[in-house]
């Protein structure tokens, strides 16, 4: 079977992991770093992702997008509150957010696909083979649209998403594999953008999720913003400065705030220094840990209600939880650890690297799906109640939250007037009474042959698969035939849109490759120029006048190629300079060798 | 969300793939393809349990885990589209069966459906001995709402107190209903152990089923009232 990798597509950082024999292992990049920042930047010569894009955050803030996971499966109205924190522009089309970067308008799945491609390339370089299949993790509390958007991102990146796994459950797999534990565990996952809590029962290799809850819009990003707000206020008061129209400053504040927050997890006090625009000196501010804790206290508190709800849904008192596992970078904050400890009455575990454990779990699930590990099985649940809108705008529930998946429900539909040829169905997810207070997933139309009212009987099956994604089938009860359905996703891409994006992504990829090749050639050109200059300085006297003239001409030629954008011209120029300086280099080498040999005895050399 | 256009093969006595006789096995003896579980299969049979109301939950769980290892889609990745569809459908049935039997109330409702063809959702019915109390409670509720609207603190406090009293009555009723239900569970299980062979015993069986149904109906009413009250008093 083709290799399946495990991917943690995070708000802040993403990782790819695989099963190395019996040990899940994160695949490092060329510099040995395991985390790929989930950042994409657009430069005149193409898209950059990961660390390269991170460098563009301050230099190129309007065209560098991050925390895109917060926009997956969302409309613009869902995120109006936080727009002011992003230096890039957002719009909406057909219920899907678009990010404006450069002259392009891209959807969150397309941006995420670029991050996925980076991970895919990393894995491909590591294995020396093409990777086509992946398990991708999502927050447990992601709804159907958000899950579908993640699957679309995979498709656009050229990956078949063989399974969507919930992040806390993935973490429990990595944890359970290592510890071989039995009992009830609670996984508390607070990352950059999302919060999840899952309560699981581990017994003889079965990982049964009893309940899950969370908030897909709560994480470290929100903590950073509290610090940014204080700094923005300071700047206004002390320097009459506003970040309005100063995306660089806005970005600078966010980055310094995040760094300060992280430092305050170990230090009790820290200084933030931000250069002011137009060389007006610096803004300095001391933050204490106590101050930070006061600023974010309500946010940390906000994670506790979902924990209590999950316990209640699992039918367990907090004291029945045997172990609490912490996942996600934000659980490094002492305040978070204290609160979790107080709620569950036990010291939480954090010995597994909270940045990596989700990706490791994804690799474990990938191995299970490949038929590797056979004694472990994950039984997950659907996090939100699924229902349809009925008379009076009320939601009638079909599948309750925390139902073990796969699961299905059937519903019979008929007509109310003679000759009616279609029935509209509005699908919802959420815990509220009224349809309008829940999340709209899609509206679809059942086509029905004209008949007297009440005669048609169409049975619709709502199946939530192991990915937590809804599949709908409709069948005419009388004829047994499958009925056609027309769906309009409320916050999602249509199949045709995804197809187009897959094609577009190849165009971007070409640009990316060209950009990468150009950068590599530039680096090479710079180093050969430096080497030539050194050689001329040390051994210019060894070269004949013809050689010298040829070298100088080739240097000039290379310098002009470096000013252009054509990487092929650059390669040519490098090649020419290499040739021109070859004999000089050889002479230099020989003289260096003689120099070195002077002091040595003959016996040392032979 | 996705639209599925394929239909599943229905459970039959022959393998959907090679048409050989499967004799109720999960996998075909000939081609080893997984077979669809019948949608009408009784959940007790599914777990190899007698149709009793007090069940061995540890055994239920063990059996559930065992069957999950047989049918879960994780073990069908890379198999044919049809086998994956069967695994998905079977897992859905299995999960539904486990959920139903694990919870005693869902269990007895399911048993009533099997044994007496009761409706899926048993409609609520007010317990006769509580008629008066319920009528009074309605009055207190009205008073409570009126007082809230008029900001009349004194009446509000009084109505609140009366409603809390009513809540106690309802809770006591709920406990009584559940106790009786537990007794009926025992009675039913004895009847299952010694299947009735005369008329009176058959009549006892039917009476027991009917009483359980009435109890559930009353309980459902009481639970609804309690939920309302809790919301109002919160
Ligand atoms: N030492 C630290 N103290 C406080 N916060 C930290 C620390 N280290 C990392 N973080 C925060 O953790 C967050 C990133 O965590 P992580 O990588 O787990 O998130 P993610 O997986 O990208 O996001 P999500 O799981 O929400 O999609 C950031 O907000 C970062 O600032
Ligand atoms: Mg994460």
């Amino acid at each position: 079977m083709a290799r399946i990798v495990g991917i943690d597509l995070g708000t802040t950082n993403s990782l790819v992991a695989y099963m190395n024999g019996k040990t899940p292992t994160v695949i490092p990049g060329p510099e040995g770093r395991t985390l790929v920042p989930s950042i994409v930047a657009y430069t005149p010569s193409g898209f950059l992702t990961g660390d390269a894009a991170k460098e563009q955050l301050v230099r190129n803030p309007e065209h560098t997008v991050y925390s895109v996971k917060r926009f997956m499966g969302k409309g613009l109205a869902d995120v109006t509150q936080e727009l002011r924190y992003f230096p890039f522009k957002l719009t909406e089309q057909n219920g899907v957010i678009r990010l404006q970067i450069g002259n392009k308008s891209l959807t969150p799945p397309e941006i995420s696909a670029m991050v996925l491609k980076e991970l895919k390339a990393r894995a491909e370089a590591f294995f020396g083979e093409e990777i086509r299949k992946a398990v991708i993790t999502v927050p447990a509390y992601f709804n159907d649209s958000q899950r579908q958007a993640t699957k679309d991102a995979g498709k656009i990146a050229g990956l078949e998403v063989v399974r969507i796994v919930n992040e806390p459950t993935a973490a429990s797999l990595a944890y359970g594999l290592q510890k071989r534990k039995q009992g009830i565990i609670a996984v508390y996952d607070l990352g950059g953008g999302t919060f999840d809590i899952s309560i699981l029962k581990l017994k003889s290799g079965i990982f049964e999720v009893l309940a899950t809850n969370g908030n897909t819009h709560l994480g470290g990003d929100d903590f950073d913003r509290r610090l940014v707000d204080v700094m923005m206020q300071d700047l206004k008061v002390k320097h009459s400065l506003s970040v309005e129209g100063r995306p660089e400053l806005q970005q600078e504040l966010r980055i310094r705030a995040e760094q300060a927050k992280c430092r305050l997890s170990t230090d009790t006090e820290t200084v933030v220094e931000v250069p002011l625009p137009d060389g007006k000196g610096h803004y300095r501010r001391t933050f204490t840990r106590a101050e930070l804790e006061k600023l974010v206290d309500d946010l940390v508190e906000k994670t506790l209600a979902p924990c209590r709800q999950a316990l209640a849904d699992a039918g367990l008192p907090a004291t029945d939880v045997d172990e609490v596992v912490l996942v996600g970078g934000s659980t490094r904050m002492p305040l978070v650890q204290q609160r979790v400890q107080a709620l569950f009455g036990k010291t939480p575990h954090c010995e597994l690297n909270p940045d990596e454990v989700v990706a490791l779990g994804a690799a474990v699930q990938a191995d299970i799906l490949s038929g590797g590990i056979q004694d472990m099985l994950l039984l997950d649940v659907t996090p939100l109640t699924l229902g349809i809108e009925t008379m009076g705008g009320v939601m009638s529930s079909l599948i309750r939250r925390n139902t073990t998946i796969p699961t299905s429900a059937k519903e019979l539909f008929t007509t109310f007037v003679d000759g009616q040829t279609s029935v509209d169905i509005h699908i919802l997810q959420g815990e509220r009474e009224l349809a309008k207070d829940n999340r709209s997933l899609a509206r679809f139309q059942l086509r029905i042959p004209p008949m007297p009212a009440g005669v048609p009987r169409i049975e619709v099956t709502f199946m939530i698969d192991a990915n937590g994604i809804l599949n709908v089938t409709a069948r005419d009860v009388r004829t047994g035939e499958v009925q056609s359905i027309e769906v309009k996703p409320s916050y999602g891409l249509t199949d045709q849109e995804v197809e187009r994006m897959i094609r577009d992504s190849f165009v971007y990829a070409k640009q990316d490759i060209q950009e990468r090749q150009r950068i590599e050639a530039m680096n090479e050109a710079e180093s050969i120029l430096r080497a030539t200059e050194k050689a001329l300085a040390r051994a210019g006297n060894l070269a004949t006048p013809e050689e010298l003239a040829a070298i100088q001409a080739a240097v000039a030629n290379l310098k002009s190629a470096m000013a252009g954008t054509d990487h092929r011209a650059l390669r040519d120029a490098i090649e020419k300079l290499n040739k021109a300086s070859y004999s000089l280099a050889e002479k230099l080498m020989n003289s260096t060798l003689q120099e070195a040999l002077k002091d040595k005895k003959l016996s040392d050399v032979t | 969300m996705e639209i599925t256009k394929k239909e599943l093969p229905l459970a039959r006595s022959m393998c959907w793939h090679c048409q050989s006789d499967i004799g109720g096995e999960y996998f075909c003896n000939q081609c080893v393809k997984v077979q669809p579980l019948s949608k009408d299969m009784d959940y007790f049979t599914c777990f190899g349990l007698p149709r009793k109301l007090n069940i061995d939950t540890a055994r239920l769980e063990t059996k559930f885990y065992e069957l999950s290892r047989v049918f879960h889609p994780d073990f069908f990745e890379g198999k044919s589209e049809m086998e994956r569809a069967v695994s998905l459908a079977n897992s859905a049935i299995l999960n539904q069966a486990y959920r139903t039997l694990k919870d005693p109330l869902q269990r007895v409702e399911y048993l009533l459906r099997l044994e007496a063809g009761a409706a899926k959702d048993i409609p609520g019915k007010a317990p006769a001995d509580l008629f008066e109390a319920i009528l009074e409670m309605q009055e207190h509720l009205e008073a409570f709402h009126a007082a809230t609207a008029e900001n009349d603190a004194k009446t509000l406090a009084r109505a609140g107190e009366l409603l809390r009293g009513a809540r106690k009555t309802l809770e006591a009723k709920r406990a009584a209903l559940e106790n009786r239900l537990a007794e009926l569970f025992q009675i039913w299980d004895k009847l299952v152990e010694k299947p009735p062979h005369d008329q009176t015993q058959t009549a006892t069986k039917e009476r027991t089923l009917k009483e359980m149904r009435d109890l559930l109906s009353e309980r459902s009413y009481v639970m609804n009232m309690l939920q309302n009250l809790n919301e109002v008093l919160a």
Side-chain angles (χ1 to χ4, degrees), chain A residues 8-13 15 69 137 139 167 189-194 327-329 354-355 358:
Chain A
D8 173 5
L9 182 61
T11 309
T12 327
N13 298 303
L15 306 86
K69 189 170 167 183
T137 62
E167 286 159 14
D189 179 355
L190 189 61
T194 56
V327 182
D355 296 327
V358 170

Side-chain angles (χ1 to χ4, degrees), chain A residues 2 8 22 46 52 182 264 276 294 316 326 332 389 394 441 459 461 479 490 506:
Chain A
D8 173 5
K22 286 193 159 63
Q182 312 268 326
L264 287 174
L276 294 174
K294 217 167 129 202
L316 296 173
L326 295 180
R332 291 204 176 92
E389 181 168 351
V394 173
L441 293 187
E459 184 188 67
T461 305
T479 64
S490 308
F506 286 111

Side-chain angles (χ1 to χ4, degrees), chain A residues 195-216:
Chain A
F195 167 65
D196 278 327
I197 175 78
S198 288
I199 315 284
L200 294 102
K201 178 172 182 175
L202 272 57
K203 195 170 174 185
S204 43
I206 301 268
F207 291 62
E208 185 189 1
V209 180
L210 301 177
T212 195
N213 212 296
N215 184 336
T216 57

Side-chain angles (χ1 to χ4, degrees), chain A residues 8-15 35-36 38 69-70 137-139 142 167 189-196 215-216 218-224 257-266 292 327-334 354-356 358:
Chain A
D8 173 5
L9 182 61
T11 309
T12 327
N13 298 303
S14 298
L15 306 86
L35 300 178
V36 172
S38 308
K69 189 170 167 183
R70 291 180 87 110
T137 62
V138 297
F142 252 22
E167 286 159 14
D189 179 355
L190 189 61
T194 56
F195 167 65
D196 278 327
N215 184 336
T216 57
L218 178 61
D221 282 4
D222 301 282
F223 298 173
D224 303 345
E258 197 217 337
Q259 290 166 348
K261 174 193 73 175
C262 293
R263 286 196 300 273
L264 287 174
S265 290
T266 40
L292 170 69
V327 182
S330 299
T331 60
R332 291 204 176 92
M333 281 177 74
D355 296 327
E356 293 185 355
V358 170

Side-chain angles (χ1 to χ4, degrees), chain A residues 67 135 143 176 231 271 394 412 414 461 543 545 582:
Chain A
S67 294
V135 167
N143 66 27
M231 295 197 276
V271 178
V394 173
L412 263 187
T414 187
T461 305
Y582 182 76

